Amino acid sequence: MPLTSKRKMLGRGSLGLLLPVILASCLTGGGRFQKRMGEGPPLYDEPVLKWQASDKAVVPYCRWLPPKGVSQKGLLIAVPGMDEPSVDWAQLGRHLSARGYEVYSSDLRGQGKDFDSPERGNYHRWTRWVEDVNEFAAQARGGRRLPVAYMGHSLGGMVALAAASQAKGAAAPDALVLYAPAFVLAFPPWFARPAARSAQLLSLNLARVTGPAVFKLMNRNLVSNEVDEAAWERSSDRLSGGMSFRYVSACLGVGQHVRELPGRWTSPVLLEYGQSDKTIPMSQRSPERILGMFKSQDKELWWHPNPKANHDMLNDRLVRKEMLAKTSAWLDKRLAGGASR
């Protein structure tokens, strides 16, 4: 049988497997998905501010500003990853603000402290995530001429790259710092596209399908060894498995969108990965190959030297000291001197 015929049959089969899930979604109500909030305090106690996007939505954000007397080096826009609140950038924000950087991080809609409760864990307009980053950056800049870098972790790295590539002229950032971006998940297009289209219709909770214990175990395995796991799991800022297939489909949509963007990026870029990052096998490209995708002449891949470094280096007590030092040193060379395209 020709390969194309096999693919068609497999494609129909994959859709057939999704039909029971679609039916289950209809039987459980479908429509908008109300996330179940976690219990307990967030991982970090940081003031939450608000900004207004062009569509009039009010979005929460956190910021870390340099203390008085510290010279200004630049402005950093940090984008949270999947199932992450903006407050996850607290350690990096405190570290870099003490060294002269303004650090701003806005929650992605549908997660964190998003005020639109019915959209938590069910948001699926990934293009709005991208637009928000550039609008948020413009408001944070406030017309000032400052060196700017976009930063992103995991899903946030892909959103940051998409936003940076969309920004034009003086609004474009001068550099990118991407923590563990996977870019291309290991699903062939003939399966991923119909699956994503079907998933957009579903508001079924992933934890309801896999079981809460299994989903939490999956999350824990993606977090590095010495993170404050109890607080991480209790955090009311996290979806903790309360996310729909629609939301996951949006995350995949960003990944599909950014496939070709590294080949157009010419400004400095730093990729950082942990040696035990369990998201790497999910990618069709290794970090070395991802680095090679970038057109920039100033690009660097940094593997965390600790062999236990996993996916969430931002909040891992075991490894974040070296990560923070590497990030600040790299930024000082590109932004402190007024890096430009």
Side-chain angles (χ1 to χ4, degrees), residues 173-233:
D174 301 293
L176 278 174
V177 179
L178 308 178
Y179 299 97
F183 284 103
V184 184
L185 295 181
F187 296 110
W190 57 264
F191 170 78
R193 291 193 183 104
R197 282 196 294 268
S198 300
Q200 285 286 354
L201 303 174
L202 303 180
S203 294
L204 191 64
N205 185 341
L206 283 177
R208 196 180 301 169
V209 175
T210 62
V214 173
F215 198 92
K216 284 191 174 183
L217 180 62
M218 291 166 59
N219 270 290
R220 184 183 296 112
N221 286 342
L222 290 177
V223 177
S224 293
N225 300 274
E226 296 298 324
V227 74
D228 296 319
E229 289 189 8
W232 191 93
E233 290 185 3

Tab-separated table of all heavy atoms in Angstrom, residues 173-233:
chain	number	residue	atom	x	y	z
A	173	PRO	N	12.603	44.226	19.613
A	173	PRO	CA	13.602	44.054	20.675
A	173	PRO	C	15.003	43.887	20.094
A	173	PRO	O	15.171	43.486	18.943
A	173	PRO	CB	13.147	42.774	21.380
A	173	PRO	CG	12.396	42.020	20.335
A	173	PRO	CD	11.721	43.055	19.486
A	174	ASP	N	15.993	44.181	20.913
A	174	ASP	CA	17.383	44.108	20.475
A	174	ASP	C	17.989	42.724	20.662
A	174	ASP	O	19.035	42.431	20.090
A	174	ASP	CB	18.216	45.126	21.264
A	174	ASP	CG	17.711	46.545	21.074
A	174	ASP	OD1	17.822	47.066	19.961
A	174	ASP	OD2	17.165	47.111	22.044
A	175	ALA	N	17.365	41.897	21.474
A	175	ALA	CA	17.926	40.569	21.752
A	175	ALA	C	16.830	39.646	22.273
A	175	ALA	O	15.774	40.100	22.723
A	175	ALA	CB	19.062	40.677	22.771
A	176	LEU	N	17.124	38.332	22.215
A	176	LEU	CA	16.212	37.305	22.713
A	176	LEU	C	16.955	36.382	23.672
A	176	LEU	O	18.094	35.995	23.405
A	176	LEU	CB	15.674	36.453	21.560
A	176	LEU	CG	14.511	36.949	20.722
A	176	LEU	CD1	14.275	35.982	19.563
A	176	LEU	CD2	13.253	37.101	21.560
A	177	VAL	N	16.310	36.033	24.777
A	177	VAL	CA	16.813	34.996	25.680
A	177	VAL	C	15.692	33.973	25.823
A	177	VAL	O	14.619	34.290	26.333
A	177	VAL	CB	17.207	35.551	27.059
A	177	VAL	CG1	17.689	34.424	27.959
A	177	VAL	CG2	18.284	36.617	26.922
A	178	LEU	N	15.933	32.739	25.370
A	178	LEU	CA	14.896	31.713	25.347
A	178	LEU	C	15.323	30.526	26.204
A	178	LEU	O	16.371	29.923	25.952
A	178	LEU	CB	14.638	31.256	23.905
A	178	LEU	CG	14.347	32.373	22.894
A	178	LEU	CD1	14.153	31.786	21.494
A	178	LEU	CD2	13.130	33.186	23.312
A	179	TYR	N	14.510	30.226	27.217
A	179	TYR	CA	14.794	29.111	28.105
A	179	TYR	C	14.000	27.883	27.652
A	179	TYR	O	12.772	27.876	27.687
A	179	TYR	CB	14.408	29.447	29.546
A	179	TYR	CG	15.141	30.630	30.129
A	179	TYR	CD1	14.564	31.896	30.135
A	179	TYR	CD2	16.420	30.477	30.671
A	179	TYR	CE1	15.234	32.988	30.668
A	179	TYR	CE2	17.093	31.566	31.213
A	179	TYR	CZ	16.498	32.817	31.206
A	179	TYR	OH	17.162	33.891	31.737
A	180	ALA	N	14.685	26.871	27.210
A	180	ALA	CA	14.095	25.571	26.882
A	180	ALA	C	12.908	25.633	25.931
A	180	ALA	O	11.868	25.036	26.185
A	180	ALA	CB	13.694	24.841	28.163
A	181	PRO	N	13.028	26.351	24.807
A	181	PRO	CA	11.950	26.302	23.813
A	181	PRO	C	12.059	25.012	22.999
A	181	PRO	O	13.133	24.657	22.525
A	181	PRO	CB	12.223	27.530	22.943
A	181	PRO	CG	13.706	27.701	23.007
A	181	PRO	CD	14.133	27.240	24.393
A	182	ALA	N	10.944	24.293	22.832
A	182	ALA	CA	10.974	23.028	22.086
A	182	ALA	C	10.721	23.254	20.600
A	182	ALA	O	11.227	22.506	19.762
A	182	ALA	CB	9.940	22.062	22.648
A	183	PHE	N	9.926	24.260	20.250
A	183	PHE	CA	9.595	24.643	18.877
A	183	PHE	C	8.725	23.626	18.156
A	183	PHE	O	7.602	23.935	17.787
A	183	PHE	CB	10.854	24.928	18.050
A	183	PHE	CG	11.472	26.245	18.373
A	183	PHE	CD1	12.604	26.326	19.156
A	183	PHE	CD2	10.897	27.417	17.931
A	183	PHE	CE1	13.157	27.552	19.484
A	183	PHE	CE2	11.434	28.646	18.260
A	183	PHE	CZ	12.568	28.716	19.028
A	184	VAL	N	9.218	22.428	17.886
A	184	VAL	CA	8.457	21.495	17.068
A	184	VAL	C	8.207	20.218	17.869
A	184	VAL	O	9.139	19.477	18.157
A	184	VAL	CB	9.200	21.141	15.766
A	184	VAL	CG1	8.322	20.252	14.896
A	184	VAL	CG2	9.568	22.405	15.002
A	185	LEU	N	6.972	19.970	18.216
A	185	LEU	CA	6.650	18.738	18.921
A	185	LEU	C	6.618	17.572	17.944
A	185	LEU	O	6.357	17.740	16.762
A	185	LEU	CB	5.306	18.869	19.633
A	185	LEU	CG	5.272	19.921	20.758
A	185	LEU	CD1	3.902	19.941	21.403
A	185	LEU	CD2	6.343	19.656	21.797
A	186	ALA	N	6.869	16.393	18.467
A	186	ALA	CA	7.058	15.224	17.602
A	186	ALA	C	5.729	14.605	17.160
A	186	ALA	O	5.450	13.442	17.393
A	186	ALA	CB	7.903	14.184	18.325
A	187	PHE	N	4.884	15.412	16.529
A	187	PHE	CA	3.662	14.917	15.906
A	187	PHE	C	3.704	15.275	14.429
A	187	PHE	O	3.881	16.444	14.088
A	187	PHE	CB	2.416	15.539	16.538
A	187	PHE	CG	2.228	15.186	17.984
A	187	PHE	CD1	2.394	16.141	18.967
A	187	PHE	CD2	1.883	13.903	18.357
A	187	PHE	CE1	2.220	15.830	20.304
A	187	PHE	CE2	1.709	13.574	19.694
A	187	PHE	CZ	1.879	14.538	20.667
A	188	PRO	N	3.560	14.318	13.523
A	188	PRO	CA	3.577	14.621	12.103
A	188	PRO	C	2.397	15.501	11.715
A	188	PRO	O	1.317	15.383	12.307
A	188	PRO	CB	3.488	13.244	11.436
A	188	PRO	CG	2.877	12.355	12.469
A	188	PRO	CD	3.344	12.883	13.796
A	189	PRO	N	2.565	16.408	10.738
A	189	PRO	CA	1.495	17.338	10.364
A	189	PRO	C	0.194	16.643	9.983
A	189	PRO	O	-0.884	17.154	10.268
A	189	PRO	CB	2.095	18.098	9.175
A	189	PRO	CG	3.573	18.006	9.367
A	189	PRO	CD	3.800	16.662	9.987
A	190	TRP	N	0.283	15.457	9.365
A	190	TRP	CA	-0.947	14.782	8.925
A	190	TRP	C	-1.811	14.365	10.107
A	190	TRP	O	-3.019	14.160	9.974
A	190	TRP	CB	-0.629	13.570	8.048
A	190	TRP	CG	0.263	12.537	8.680
A	190	TRP	CD1	1.613	12.433	8.519
A	190	TRP	CD2	-0.120	11.475	9.557
A	190	TRP	NE1	2.098	11.386	9.259
A	190	TRP	CE2	1.047	10.767	9.904
A	190	TRP	CE3	-1.335	11.040	10.080
A	190	TRP	CZ2	1.039	9.677	10.747
A	190	TRP	CZ3	-1.343	9.948	10.933
A	190	TRP	CH2	-0.169	9.273	11.256
A	191	PHE	N	-1.170	14.229	11.305
A	191	PHE	CA	-1.941	13.930	12.505
A	191	PHE	C	-2.234	15.201	13.302
A	191	PHE	O	-3.345	15.402	13.785
A	191	PHE	CB	-1.192	12.935	13.394
A	191	PHE	CG	-1.824	12.767	14.759
A	191	PHE	CD1	-2.955	11.976	14.905
A	191	PHE	CD2	-1.293	13.403	15.879
A	191	PHE	CE1	-3.554	11.825	16.158
A	191	PHE	CE2	-1.880	13.261	17.115
A	191	PHE	CZ	-3.018	12.461	17.258
A	192	ALA	N	-1.213	16.075	13.426
A	192	ALA	CA	-1.326	17.233	14.306
A	192	ALA	C	-2.420	18.195	13.852
A	192	ALA	O	-3.169	18.727	14.674
A	192	ALA	CB	0.012	17.962	14.390
A	193	ARG	N	-2.533	18.420	12.538
A	193	ARG	CA	-3.497	19.410	12.052
A	193	ARG	C	-4.942	18.997	12.333
A	193	ARG	O	-5.705	19.770	12.920
A	193	ARG	CB	-3.260	19.683	10.569
A	193	ARG	CG	-1.945	20.419	10.305
A	193	ARG	CD	-1.880	20.945	8.885
A	193	ARG	NE	-0.593	21.576	8.624
A	193	ARG	CZ	0.388	21.010	7.912
A	193	ARG	NH1	0.205	19.817	7.375
A	193	ARG	NH2	1.525	21.640	7.730
A	194	PRO	N	-5.364	17.777	11.905
A	194	PRO	CA	-6.749	17.401	12.226
A	194	PRO	C	-6.991	17.260	13.725
A	194	PRO	O	-8.075	17.579	14.211
A	194	PRO	CB	-6.933	16.059	11.501
A	194	PRO	CG	-5.564	15.552	11.230
A	194	PRO	CD	-4.713	16.756	11.054
A	195	ALA	N	-5.978	16.801	14.447
A	195	ALA	CA	-6.140	16.666	15.896
A	195	ALA	C	-6.331	18.030	16.538
A	195	ALA	O	-7.161	18.206	17.435
A	195	ALA	CB	-4.929	15.956	16.498
A	196	ALA	N	-5.554	19.028	16.066
A	196	ALA	CA	-5.668	20.375	16.622
A	196	ALA	C	-7.032	20.981	16.307
A	196	ALA	O	-7.651	21.629	17.150
A	196	ALA	CB	-4.555	21.262	16.077
A	197	ARG	N	-7.508	20.757	15.079
A	197	ARG	CA	-8.816	21.285	14.713
A	197	ARG	C	-9.909	20.678	15.587
A	197	ARG	O	-10.846	21.362	16.004
A	197	ARG	CB	-9.095	21.022	13.236
A	197	ARG	CG	-8.382	21.990	12.294
A	197	ARG	CD	-8.987	21.926	10.915
A	197	ARG	NE	-8.760	20.633	10.265
A	197	ARG	CZ	-7.731	20.366	9.475
A	197	ARG	NH1	-6.822	21.298	9.241
A	197	ARG	NH2	-7.597	19.177	8.922
A	198	SER	N	-9.803	19.390	15.836
A	198	SER	CA	-10.787	18.733	16.696
A	198	SER	C	-10.653	19.216	18.136
A	198	SER	O	-11.650	19.462	18.823
A	198	SER	CB	-10.609	17.216	16.648
A	198	SER	OG	-10.776	16.732	15.336
A	199	ALA	N	-9.409	19.377	18.575
A	199	ALA	CA	-9.172	19.788	19.958
A	199	ALA	C	-9.719	21.174	20.240
A	199	ALA	O	-10.093	21.496	21.372
A	199	ALA	CB	-7.680	19.742	20.277
A	200	GLN	N	-9.764	22.040	19.221
A	200	GLN	CA	-10.299	23.386	19.412
A	200	GLN	C	-11.753	23.346	19.889
A	200	GLN	O	-12.230	24.262	20.539
A	200	GLN	CB	-10.217	24.170	18.099
A	200	GLN	CG	-8.819	24.632	17.731
A	200	GLN	CD	-8.357	25.793	18.589
A	200	GLN	OE1	-9.107	26.334	19.386
A	200	GLN	NE2	-7.103	26.183	18.427
A	201	LEU	N	-12.467	22.265	19.556
A	201	LEU	CA	-13.870	22.161	19.931
A	201	LEU	C	-14.056	21.692	21.365
A	201	LEU	O	-15.149	21.786	21.915
A	201	LEU	CB	-14.589	21.179	18.993
A	201	LEU	CG	-14.525	21.498	17.499
A	201	LEU	CD1	-15.154	20.359	16.706
A	201	LEU	CD2	-15.223	22.818	17.186
A	202	LEU	N	-12.990	21.168	21.945
A	202	LEU	CA	-13.130	20.507	23.243
A	202	LEU	C	-12.841	21.431	24.410
A	202	LEU	O	-11.865	22.162	24.424
A	202	LEU	CB	-12.181	19.302	23.328
A	202	LEU	CG	-12.347	18.236	22.251
A	202	LEU	CD1	-11.359	17.120	22.476
A	202	LEU	CD2	-13.758	17.692	22.247
A	203	SER	N	-13.691	21.383	25.390
A	203	SER	CA	-13.427	22.066	26.654
A	203	SER	C	-13.195	21.042	27.754
A	203	SER	O	-13.276	21.356	28.930
A	203	SER	CB	-14.597	22.983	27.012
A	203	SER	OG	-14.702	24.034	26.076
A	204	LEU	N	-12.929	19.816	27.357
A	204	LEU	CA	-12.739	18.742	28.327
A	204	LEU	C	-11.411	18.911	29.049
A	204	LEU	O	-10.374	19.123	28.434
A	204	LEU	CB	-12.778	17.388	27.609
A	204	LEU	CG	-12.855	16.145	28.480
A	204	LEU	CD1	-14.159	16.135	29.264
A	204	LEU	CD2	-12.758	14.905	27.615
A	205	ASN	N	-11.443	18.810	30.350
A	205	ASN	CA	-10.274	18.977	31.194
A	205	ASN	C	-9.302	17.814	30.987
A	205	ASN	O	-9.687	16.655	31.061
A	205	ASN	CB	-10.764	19.023	32.650
A	205	ASN	CG	-9.661	19.318	33.627
A	205	ASN	OD1	-8.489	19.149	33.314
A	205	ASN	ND2	-10.043	19.760	34.795
A	206	LEU	N	-8.026	18.135	30.745
A	206	LEU	CA	-7.021	17.081	30.569
A	206	LEU	C	-6.935	16.176	31.799
A	206	LEU	O	-6.789	14.968	31.675
A	206	LEU	CB	-5.657	17.702	30.288
A	206	LEU	CG	-5.406	18.229	28.876
A	206	LEU	CD1	-4.035	18.868	28.814
A	206	LEU	CD2	-5.517	17.119	27.860
A	207	ALA	N	-7.001	16.776	32.972
A	207	ALA	CA	-6.910	15.976	34.194
A	207	ALA	C	-8.100	15.036	34.324
A	207	ALA	O	-8.002	13.981	34.939
A	207	ALA	CB	-6.834	16.886	35.416
A	208	ARG	N	-9.232	15.419	33.730
A	208	ARG	CA	-10.400	14.554	33.779
A	208	ARG	C	-10.196	13.309	32.927
A	208	ARG	O	-10.774	12.255	33.161
A	208	ARG	CB	-11.631	15.327	33.303
A	208	ARG	CG	-12.965	14.666	33.665
A	208	ARG	CD	-14.121	15.501	33.165
A	208	ARG	NE	-14.098	16.839	33.738
A	208	ARG	CZ	-14.872	17.840	33.308
A	208	ARG	NH1	-15.684	17.653	32.302
A	208	ARG	NH2	-14.800	19.020	33.875
A	209	VAL	N	-9.351	13.442	31.891
A	209	VAL	CA	-9.081	12.313	31.008
A	209	VAL	C	-7.967	11.436	31.570
A	209	VAL	O	-8.079	10.217	31.641
A	209	VAL	CB	-8.696	12.812	29.601
A	209	VAL	CG1	-8.290	11.650	28.711
A	209	VAL	CG2	-9.859	13.573	28.984
A	210	THR	N	-6.854	12.059	31.972
A	210	THR	CA	-5.691	11.295	32.420
A	210	THR	C	-5.747	10.935	33.898
A	210	THR	O	-5.044	10.037	34.345
A	210	THR	CB	-4.400	12.089	32.179
A	210	THR	OG1	-4.450	13.302	32.951
A	210	THR	CG2	-4.252	12.455	30.712
A	211	GLY	N	-6.571	11.676	34.647
A	211	GLY	CA	-6.597	11.495	36.087
A	211	GLY	C	-5.713	12.542	36.743
A	211	GLY	O	-4.594	12.783	36.289
A	212	PRO	N	-6.179	13.233	37.781
A	212	PRO	CA	-5.398	14.301	38.416
A	212	PRO	C	-4.019	13.854	38.877
A	212	PRO	O	-3.037	14.568	38.730
A	212	PRO	CB	-6.282	14.724	39.596
A	212	PRO	CG	-7.660	14.284	39.220
A	212	PRO	CD	-7.489	13.042	38.398
A	213	ALA	N	-3.936	12.650	39.436
A	213	ALA	CA	-2.649	12.171	39.957
A	213	ALA	C	-1.635	12.015	38.834
A	213	ALA	O	-0.463	12.384	38.974
A	213	ALA	CB	-2.837	10.847	40.690
A	214	VAL	N	-2.089	11.469	37.699
A	214	VAL	CA	-1.187	11.283	36.558
A	214	VAL	C	-0.725	12.625	36.024
A	214	VAL	O	0.460	12.823	35.739
A	214	VAL	CB	-1.890	10.472	35.444
A	214	VAL	CG1	-1.024	10.414	34.191
A	214	VAL	CG2	-2.204	9.068	35.935
A	215	PHE	N	-1.650	13.574	35.923
A	215	PHE	CA	-1.283	14.875	35.374
A	215	PHE	C	-0.296	15.601	36.280
A	215	PHE	O	0.666	16.207	35.818
A	215	PHE	CB	-2.530	15.734	35.152
A	215	PHE	CG	-2.279	16.870	34.209
A	215	PHE	CD1	-2.522	16.727	32.851
A	215	PHE	CD2	-1.767	18.067	34.667
A	215	PHE	CE1	-2.268	17.767	31.975
A	215	PHE	CE2	-1.513	19.114	33.802
A	215	PHE	CZ	-1.773	18.956	32.447
A	216	LYS	N	-0.523	15.526	37.588
A	216	LYS	CA	0.406	16.170	38.511
A	216	LYS	C	1.787	15.518	38.445
A	216	LYS	O	2.809	16.190	38.552
A	216	LYS	CB	-0.142	16.125	39.939
A	216	LYS	CG	-1.254	17.132	40.188
A	216	LYS	CD	-1.581	17.230	41.668
A	216	LYS	CE	-2.588	18.328	41.927
A	216	LYS	NZ	-2.881	18.511	43.354
A	217	LEU	N	1.807	14.209	38.272
A	217	LEU	CA	3.079	13.505	38.144
A	217	LEU	C	3.822	13.978	36.899
A	217	LEU	O	5.030	14.197	36.921
A	217	LEU	CB	2.847	12.000	38.078
A	217	LEU	CG	4.107	11.125	37.945
A	217	LEU	CD1	5.000	11.300	39.161
A	217	LEU	CD2	3.725	9.663	37.771
A	218	MET	N	3.076	14.168	35.804
A	218	MET	CA	3.675	14.669	34.573
A	218	MET	C	4.279	16.046	34.803
A	218	MET	O	5.387	16.346	34.363
A	218	MET	CB	2.621	14.726	33.460
A	218	MET	CG	2.139	13.358	32.982
A	218	MET	SD	0.636	13.478	31.990
A	218	MET	CE	1.195	14.536	30.658
A	219	ASN	N	3.540	16.906	35.511
A	219	ASN	CA	4.042	18.249	35.797
A	219	ASN	C	5.289	18.187	36.653
A	219	ASN	O	6.265	18.875	36.395
A	219	ASN	CB	2.961	19.072	36.509
A	219	ASN	CG	2.067	19.820	35.544
A	219	ASN	OD1	2.496	20.772	34.913
A	219	ASN	ND2	0.840	19.365	35.417
A	220	ARG	N	5.241	17.344	37.693
A	220	ARG	CA	6.371	17.266	38.609
A	220	ARG	C	7.635	16.810	37.878
A	220	ARG	O	8.735	17.265	38.160
A	220	ARG	CB	6.049	16.319	39.766
A	220	ARG	CG	7.147	16.264	40.834
A	220	ARG	CD	6.827	15.259	41.917
A	220	ARG	NE	5.639	15.615	42.655
A	220	ARG	CZ	4.497	14.938	42.607
A	220	ARG	NH1	4.406	13.858	41.850
A	220	ARG	NH2	3.454	15.307	43.306
A	221	ASN	N	7.475	15.895	36.936
A	221	ASN	CA	8.628	15.377	36.213
A	221	ASN	C	9.266	16.415	35.293
A	221	ASN	O	10.396	16.241	34.843
A	221	ASN	CB	8.224	14.145	35.394
A	221	ASN	CG	8.015	12.927	36.271
A	221	ASN	OD1	8.477	12.896	37.407
A	221	ASN	ND2	7.303	11.948	35.760
A	222	LEU	N	8.536	17.481	34.983
A	222	LEU	CA	9.092	18.539	34.150
A	222	LEU	C	9.785	19.611	34.975
A	222	LEU	O	10.439	20.484	34.440
A	222	LEU	CB	7.981	19.191	33.316
A	222	LEU	CG	7.392	18.333	32.198
A	222	LEU	CD1	6.264	19.085	31.509
A	222	LEU	CD2	8.452	17.932	31.188
A	223	VAL	N	9.604	19.549	36.294
A	223	VAL	CA	10.182	20.563	37.172
A	223	VAL	C	11.478	20.027	37.759
A	223	VAL	O	11.583	18.856	38.081
A	223	VAL	CB	9.186	20.919	38.297
A	223	VAL	CG1	9.803	21.918	39.262
A	223	VAL	CG2	7.910	21.475	37.698
A	224	SER	N	12.463	20.908	37.889
A	224	SER	CA	13.761	20.466	38.367
A	224	SER	C	13.707	19.986	39.804
A	224	SER	O	12.737	20.192	40.527
A	224	SER	CB	14.775	21.606	38.227
A	224	SER	OG	15.007	21.887	36.867
A	225	ASN	N	14.814	19.396	40.240
A	225	ASN	CA	14.855	18.644	41.487
A	225	ASN	C	14.601	19.458	42.744
A	225	ASN	O	13.920	19.012	43.645
A	225	ASN	CB	16.222	17.963	41.612
A	225	ASN	CG	16.475	17.009	40.469
A	225	ASN	OD1	16.074	15.869	40.531
A	225	ASN	ND2	17.120	17.472	39.412
A	226	GLU	N	15.159	20.649	42.824
A	226	GLU	CA	15.137	21.383	44.083
A	226	GLU	C	14.160	22.552	44.090
A	226	GLU	O	14.317	23.506	44.840
A	226	GLU	CB	16.553	21.909	44.391
A	226	GLU	CG	17.568	20.817	44.620
A	226	GLU	CD	17.232	19.956	45.825
A	226	GLU	OE1	16.713	20.496	46.813
A	226	GLU	OE2	17.461	18.739	45.779
A	227	VAL	N	13.157	22.521	43.238
A	227	VAL	CA	12.128	23.558	43.275
A	227	VAL	C	11.285	23.374	44.541
A	227	VAL	O	11.239	22.279	45.113
A	227	VAL	CB	11.231	23.487	42.016
A	227	VAL	CG1	10.298	22.295	42.099
A	227	VAL	CG2	10.463	24.775	41.813
A	228	ASP	N	10.627	24.444	45.001
A	228	ASP	CA	9.730	24.337	46.145
A	228	ASP	C	8.459	23.656	45.674
A	228	ASP	O	7.433	24.294	45.432
A	228	ASP	CB	9.411	25.726	46.718
A	228	ASP	CG	10.646	26.396	47.278
A	228	ASP	OD1	11.436	25.691	47.916
A	228	ASP	OD2	10.813	27.604	47.080
A	229	GLU	N	8.511	22.331	45.534
A	229	GLU	CA	7.432	21.616	44.864
A	229	GLU	C	6.094	21.724	45.582
A	229	GLU	O	5.047	21.820	44.945
A	229	GLU	CB	7.804	20.135	44.688
A	229	GLU	CG	8.884	19.916	43.652
A	229	GLU	CD	9.065	18.433	43.341
A	229	GLU	OE1	8.245	17.635	43.820
A	229	GLU	OE2	10.006	18.106	42.618
A	230	ALA	N	6.110	21.702	46.912
A	230	ALA	CA	4.843	21.776	47.631
A	230	ALA	C	4.129	23.090	47.322
A	230	ALA	O	2.937	23.121	47.012
A	230	ALA	CB	5.081	21.634	49.126
A	231	ALA	N	4.873	24.189	47.392
A	231	ALA	CA	4.283	25.488	47.075
A	231	ALA	C	3.908	25.563	45.608
A	231	ALA	O	2.895	26.150	45.241
A	231	ALA	CB	5.262	26.606	47.435
A	232	TRP	N	4.730	24.957	44.743
A	232	TRP	CA	4.459	24.970	43.302
A	232	TRP	C	3.135	24.293	43.014
A	232	TRP	O	2.321	24.780	42.223
A	232	TRP	CB	5.603	24.259	42.577
A	232	TRP	CG	5.592	24.415	41.091
A	232	TRP	CD1	6.242	25.372	40.369
A	232	TRP	CD2	4.922	23.584	40.146
A	232	TRP	NE1	6.003	25.175	39.024
A	232	TRP	CE2	5.195	24.095	38.868
A	232	TRP	CE3	4.102	22.457	40.252
A	232	TRP	CZ2	4.689	23.517	37.701
A	232	TRP	CZ3	3.588	21.890	39.093
A	232	TRP	CH2	3.894	22.414	37.839
A	233	GLU	N	2.883	23.159	43.631
A	233	GLU	CA	1.649	22.424	43.373
A	233	GLU	C	0.433	23.088	44.014
A	233	GLU	O	-0.672	23.004	43.492
A	233	GLU	CB	1.782	20.983	43.869
A	233	GLU	CG	2.734	20.145	43.039
A	233	GLU	CD	2.745	18.692	43.479
A	233	GLU	OE1	1.970	18.358	44.391
A	233	GLU	OE2	3.506	17.916	42.902
